[in-house]
Amino acid sequence: MSCFFLTCFIVLLMFFGVQCVTIVGLVGETVTLSCMYKTKIHYTTSICWGRGKVPWIKCSETLLSTDDEGRVTYRESERYQLQGRVREGDVSLSIQNVQENDSGIYGCRVELPGWFNDLKINIYLTVLKDGNLAITEDYEEPVVNHVHSKESTLFWPQNIVRMAVVIIMTVATPVFIYAGLTSLLKKKFHEGTA
């Protein structure tokens, strides 16, 4: 019965495992896309920033990445900077002199130890020519600076795979244990009667 509750907990974590944030910036400004983790728990670890939603592994269209010591190992342009305290878990990406074509989705992946538990944050950046937010009325939902919201991730391909792995492992593990014990007991029984 405890396997059932553990499976439910893991599945719930998978549904809500990706954060989505919306940020608005103005052309020519420096915009900071927030991404932080707790180094007291996970120590310093490697991260990457990319254009597009955080995929199953690594980052899509990598813009910047670090090693396990927090040193930048790749940077597409000098416009992309980590200006926070990287060794303390602030791996927020600063984009200098943003332009309208910088608008879009950015993804931060913090590679935490273990399976399926990397911190993934998707940020939608909208860059406007001036401070007039009336331009955003055409969007399906209002664009507001620094509003955090959960994005539904139930049907993302990586979460379908995760759910399948969890279900298979939850069902398969007891079956394999039962089959192994049964086989061992039969073998011992046959050795005892021979």
Side-chain angles (χ1 to χ4, degrees):
M1 188 57 101
S2 63
C3 259
F4 172 75
F5 291 113
L6 179 62
T7 302
C8 289
F9 178 71
I10 291 171
V11 169
L12 284 173
L13 282 177
M14 289 187 309
F15 291 162
F16 299 104
V18 179
Q19 297 178 18
C20 186
V21 179
T22 302
I23 301 290
V24 176
L26 297 176
V27 168
E29 287 185 337
T30 295
V31 175
T32 300
L33 310 179
S34 182
C35 184
M36 294 184 229
Y37 68 102
K38 296 182 180 182
T39 55
K40 289 182 180 178
I41 297 171
H42 303 292
Y43 305 103
T44 304
T45 187
S46 58
I47 65 102
C48 63
W49 276 96
R51 288 294 299 257
K53 288 184 179 178
V54 179
W56 177 247
I57 57 172
K58 300 295 178 187
C59 285
S60 57
E61 298 181 41
T62 302
L63 302 172
L64 186 141
S65 60
T66 69
D67 61 14
D68 288 340
E69 298 296 319
R71 293 181 297 253
V72 174
T73 56
Y74 175 79
R75 183 188 328 265
E76 184 180 280
S77 164
E78 286 300 316
R79 293 176 57 223
Y80 303 117
Q81 299 287 327
L82 298 179
Q83 294 181 339
R85 296 175 185 232
V86 175
R87 295 192 56 98
E88 294 176 18
D90 183 356
V91 291
S92 301
L93 179 70
S94 292
I95 306 173
Q96 299 171 350
N97 191 26
V98 292
Q99 301 301 312
E100 283 185 282
N101 62 358
D102 288 321
S103 293
I105 297 175
Y106 291 78
C108 172
R109 175 188 292 275
V110 177
E111 297 181 5
L112 301 177
W115 290 12
F116 309 124
N117 62 348
D118 286 356
L119 172 64
K120 295 172 278 204
I121 299 176
N122 293 315
I123 298 176
Y124 189 85
L125 172 63
T126 301
V127 180
L128 304 174
K129 284 185 178 177
D130 58 34
N132 184 2
L133 291 181
I135 295 171
T136 63
E137 290 176 2
D138 295 332
Y139 288 95
E140 291 178 12
E141 54 186 64
V143 179
V144 182
N145 197 17
H146 300 287
V147 172
H148 294 259
S149 62
K150 293 288 185 179
E151 182 175 284
S152 174
T153 60
L154 175 59
F155 295 108
W156 284 10
Q158 65 264 32
N159 284 337
I160 292 172
V161 171
R162 288 180 183 175
M163 287 188 296
V165 167
V166 168
I167 291 168
I168 290 168
M169 293 303 292
T170 303
V171 172
T173 302
V175 169
F176 286 127
I177 291 171
Y178 176 77
L181 288 174
T182 305
S183 173
L184 184 64
L185 289 173
K186 284 182 182 177
K187 183 178 178 182
K188 292 288 184 185
F189 177 75
H190 289 299
E191 286 176 359
T193 58

